[in-house]
Every structure is written in structure tokens, then in C-alpha cells.
């Protein structure tokens, strides 16, 4: 295990409840938000107590940027979407996490934000497995 990686790390209960683990990247756990209205991924850096990007070491900041870009490019190729939305807000879930969301003109809520729009539509288990296989292949 890399120094500091996962040691003392606990995933925020809300992230765990709202998303499904897909795979481990170098720094981050890659998760799928359980809402099939949008292809919506979340990267969670495996560092305890980190709330802000500037709380991370410069090396971890660079790695998070690299992994976020890699995931965004793969999601764009996978979905053929119009736009990738990337953001780290943290107003409700303070633990640092980065949203990467594929948006297409005409999707639910376009062009507004995905947060707070309508009622979540959970994936079927088989669809989560299929999504995981597809994104892994795209990465």
C-alpha cells in the first residue's frame, strides 16, 4: 500500500449510500452515482480528513487532476455526450469528492444542474455491472 493511502480513511456515509463502487484508481475510488438519469461518476481521494483540494499535497493534487481528466475523457468516449460537468462542491458532503457527469442536450434538467432535479431513478444491479464493465474498458 502507498504511504497514507486508505490508512485511517472512511468513506462518508452519504456517498456510500448514494453510489456504487466501480474500481480503484491510483489515488481515488471510482464510484457510480445510483441515478440512471445521468452517467454520473464520483472520484473519492483515499486520504483521511481531506475536505478541500488545497488540503492535499501537491503530488496528490496532480494525481487527482490526472485521474479526473482520465475518467472524464473515458466517460465522454463511452457516452458520446454533449458536455462533461466536473465539480467538487462539498457543501453537504464535506469529504473531498469530484463529480464527473455526462450531460446531453435534452437530458432531464438540461441545461440546469443535476443536483435537486426530480426524483432519483436507481439502476438495476445488472445495469450497474454493465456500466462498470464499459467504463473499465474505456479507461
Amino acid at each position: 500500500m502507498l504511504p497514507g493511502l486508505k490508512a485511517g480513511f472512511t468513506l462518508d456515509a452519504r456517498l456510500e449510500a448514494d453510489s456504487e463502487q466501480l474500481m480503484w484508481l491510483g489515488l481515488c475510488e471510482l464510484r457510480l452515482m445510483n441515478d440512471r438519469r445521468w452517467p454520473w461518476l464520483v472520484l473519492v481521494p483515499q486520504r483521511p480528513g481531506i475536505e478541500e483540494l488545497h488540503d492535499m499535497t501537491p503530488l496528490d493534487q496532480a494525481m487527482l487532476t490526472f485521474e479526473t481528466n482520465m475518467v472524464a475523457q473515458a466517460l465522454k468516449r463511452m457516452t458520446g455526450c454533449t458536455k462533461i460537468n466536473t465539480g467538487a462542491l462539498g457543501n453537504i458532503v464535506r469529504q473531498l469528492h469530484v463529480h464527473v457527469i455526462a450531460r446531453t442536450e435534452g437530458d432531464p434538467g438540461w441545461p440546469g444542474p443535476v443536483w435537486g432535479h426530480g426524483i432519483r431513478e436507481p439502476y438495476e444491479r445488472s445495469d450497474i455491472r454493465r456500466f462498470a464493465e464499459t467504463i473499465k474498458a474505456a479507461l
Side-chain angles (χ1 to χ4, degrees):
M1 176 168 37
L2 296 173
L5 193 60
K6 300 181 199 169
F9 178 82
T10 304
L11 182 65
D12 183 277
R14 288 162 292 201
L15 286 174
E16 190 165 3
D18 291 345
S19 63
E20 299 288 330
Q21 181 185 18
L22 296 182
M23 64 186 293
W24 295 97
L25 304 171
L27 171 67
C28 297
E29 177 181 358
L30 182 62
R31 301 185 66 86
L32 172 65
M33 286 298 284
N34 194 2
D35 189 341
R36 64 185 178 86
R37 295 176 296 166
W38 300 280
W40 182 347
L41 298 171
V42 179
L43 292 92
V44 185
Q46 301 297 286
R47 296 290 190 257
I50 299 295
E51 292 185 1
E52 308 288 352
L53 183 60
H54 61 262
D55 293 337
M56 300 175 78
T57 66
L59 181 59
D60 281 352
Q61 291 175 22
M63 191 66 175
L64 178 58
T65 299
F66 173 78
E67 290 179 5
T68 301
N69 290 340
M70 181 177 66
V71 166
Q73 290 168 350
L75 189 59
K76 180 123 184 174
R77 281 192 309 271
M78 176 184 151
T79 64
C81 64
T82 305
K83 181 79 176 84
I84 292 286
N85 291 173
T86 305
L89 290 91
N91 295 342
I92 295 174
V93 174
R94 293 289 174 98
Q95 181 175 58
L96 181 62
H97 60 289
V98 178
H99 298 269
V100 180
I101 310 160
R103 301 295 306 274
T104 303
E105 291 181 43
D107 74 23
W110 178 269
V114 296
W115 289 276
H117 179 83
I119 298 172
R120 180 171 70 115
E121 297 176 16
Y123 283 96
E124 298 289 330
R125 295 298 314 163
S126 59
D127 292 333
I128 292 172
R129 281 191 300 278
R130 236 183 330 277
F131 190 99
E133 291 167 6
T134 306
I135 195 68
K136 286 176 186 178
L139 286 167

